[in-house]
Amino acid sequence: MISRSLTRSLTSNLGAKIVALLFAIFLWLHVTAQQIENQGFRVPLSLAGVPDSLTIIHEIPEFVEVSIRGPRSDLLKLRLIGRLKATVDLEGVKRGKVNIPLSPAILNVSEDFDPRDIEIEEPKSLTLNFERVVTRTVPVRVAFRGEIPQEIIITGDPAIIPDRVQVQGAMSIVSGITAVSTEEIDIRGKRGKFTQETPIEVGGRNMVVSPRNVLVEMELSKRGVRTLANLPPTILQDTEDVAVIYSPKTVSLTIEGPEEIIREITSDKVSILIDITTKAPGAYKIRPDIKLPQGIEKYWLDVDYFDVTINPRSRG
């Protein structure tokens, strides 16, 4: 009996009860939405109106922390679709250090909010240091990733196109730049003609490089090593009135360079010169002068000096 009576009482006038429940929920939501409260916002910060002739030489905050007081519904709408931004107008600023207090006027809030209900919490002000912008043309250098592998030889100097670029930025930064480097180029495992377009490395410095990219071209060869044995020296003398004795009579020369060049070199393309044109009769230790075809990167003899004796030639 009791169960039936309870069920009957709950289901009677069900439509009216649902309407009353929905009205109570809407009323609660309306009252809640109109409650006044403070909410914090993290707003992106930007600078406008900086003269082209000036630049800021340090980092600036990316955001400002803002507290806004208002109805909960308006604050929710502002958070979801308000697209809040903070913009500081720097038109007419001069070179040097400037302190700028931050006020609600930097925010793009609607007129529905009273500026007295808005507070900039952090930072309260910006201290900005402006420097004159200068432009300088500097050479470009190639930077390699890690050490150049021992088995690789770069034939000649890499070609950089263009080999000079313009850097623009604060005078205190640009005046100390004598050259810029490319971003690191990896040549490990590469052979033959190598071409790569690569950006200029600015290293986090607040400056503009023009052009931003350069073209680097170079010839990469496998390193070759070869020893030429039993090479006799050539004596350079300006008179036949002396007899020259030297030791050793032959030497070995080791050459190192691009494999395709090393492979083609023969003994007749190498000269080991002992110059005695300015020497008077006597005994000397003379370091020889080595003449080699172009392209040899390194070379060394198995001796450092020749023992040379110069005697006057007897006249009969």
Side-chain angles (χ1 to χ4, degrees):
M1 285 291 291
I2 296 176
S3 175
R4 287 181 182 177
S5 177
L6 179 61
T7 301
R8 191 179 301 113
S9 64
L10 290 175
T11 56
S12 64
N13 298 319
L14 182 60
K17 290 178 180 177
I18 292 175
V19 170
L21 177 61
L22 291 176
F23 178 78
I25 292 173
F26 287 134
L27 180 62
W28 177 82
L29 289 174
H30 176 73
V31 172
T32 301
Q34 298 307 309
Q35 288 182 347
I36 303 299
E37 60 182 33
N38 284 321
Q39 288 189 15
F41 294 81
R42 197 163 188 250
V43 183
L45 174 66
S46 62
L47 306 181
V50 179
D52 292 339
S53 60
L54 297 178
T55 187
I56 300 171
I57 62 173
H58 54 79
E59 297 294 326
I60 62 171
E62 295 184 19
F63 299 92
V64 290
E65 304 293 338
V66 178
S67 175
I68 302 178
R69 179 177 175 81
R72 180 180 294 177
S73 60
D74 290 347
L75 293 174
L76 180 61
K77 187 190 305 181
L78 183 64
R79 188 177 298 278
L80 295 178
I81 61 175
R83 299 181 183 274
L84 269 180
K85 294 186 296 182
T87 305
V88 178
D89 187 2
L90 297 171
E91 187 174 354
V93 73
K94 304 296 183 182
R95 191 173 74 177
K97 187 174 289 187
V98 178
N99 187 67
I100 303 172
L102 299 183
S103 70
I106 68 173
L107 300 173
N108 63 329
V109 293
S110 68
E111 295 179 355
D112 297 336
F113 291 92
D114 190 331
R116 292 172 296 182
D117 292 331
I118 302 174
E119 182 181 358
I120 307 295
E121 295 189 338
E122 181 66 30
K124 298 286 188 182
S125 64
L126 290 179
T127 299
L128 305 175
N129 195 356
F130 291 90
E131 273 199 23
R132 184 162 61 91
V133 173
V134 297
T135 301
R136 187 176 187 182
T137 301
V138 296
V140 181
R141 298 171 180 166
V142 179
F144 296 99
R145 181 171 301 170
E147 294 185 0
I148 299 176
Q150 284 295 316
E151 71 275 10
I152 292 180
I153 286 181
I154 301 174
T155 304
D157 294 325
I160 307 171
I161 307 171
D163 61 353
R164 300 176 72 85
V165 296
Q166 285 189 336
V167 294
Q168 183 181 76
M171 184 171 61
S172 62
I173 297 175
V174 174
S175 60
I177 297 175
T178 57
V180 292
S181 299
T182 65
E183 291 188 358
E184 292 184 345
I185 295 176
D186 189 358
I187 61 172
R188 292 173 296 181
K190 304 294 193 304
R191 294 290 188 276
K193 187 174 182 179
F194 176 87
T195 302
Q196 179 173 313
E197 183 177 353
T198 182
I200 299 297
E201 174 61 56
V202 296
R205 294 172 292 189
N206 186 20
M207 66 181 190
V208 177
V209 179
S210 180
R212 186 67 179 86
N213 294 350
V214 295
L215 188 68
V216 177
E217 296 179 347
M218 65 187 83
E219 191 77 28
L220 303 175
S221 301
K222 183 178 179 181
R223 183 182 299 275
V225 180
R226 184 180 174 197
T227 298
L228 302 174
N230 300 320
L231 299 177
T234 298
I235 307 298
L236 298 180
Q237 59 188 95
D238 57 4
T239 177
E240 298 293 332
D241 295 337
V242 294
V244 181
I245 302 173
Y246 58 87
S247 177
K249 293 298 183 182
T250 61
V251 293
S252 293
L253 175 68
T254 301
I255 52 177
E256 184 175 313
E259 188 177 52
E260 58 272 17
I261 295 177
I262 295 295
R263 188 170 49 240
E264 299 299 324
I265 290 181
T266 56
S267 299
D268 61 322
K269 296 179 180 180
V270 174
S271 296
I272 301 171
L273 307 177
I274 301 176
D275 187 357
I276 63 168
T277 55
T278 61
K279 306 293 185 186
Y284 301 92
K285 284 186 174 294
I286 299 179
R287 185 186 294 273
D289 185 19
I290 313 297
K291 301 296 183 182
L292 297 168
Q294 289 186 344
I296 303 302
E297 186 182 58
K298 297 179 183 178
Y299 62 89
W300 56 94
L301 286 174
D302 59 349
V303 298
D304 294 327
Y305 299 92
F306 281 84
D307 292 312
V308 179
T309 301
I310 305 174
N311 296 316
R313 194 181 298 274
S314 59
R315 296 183 181 182

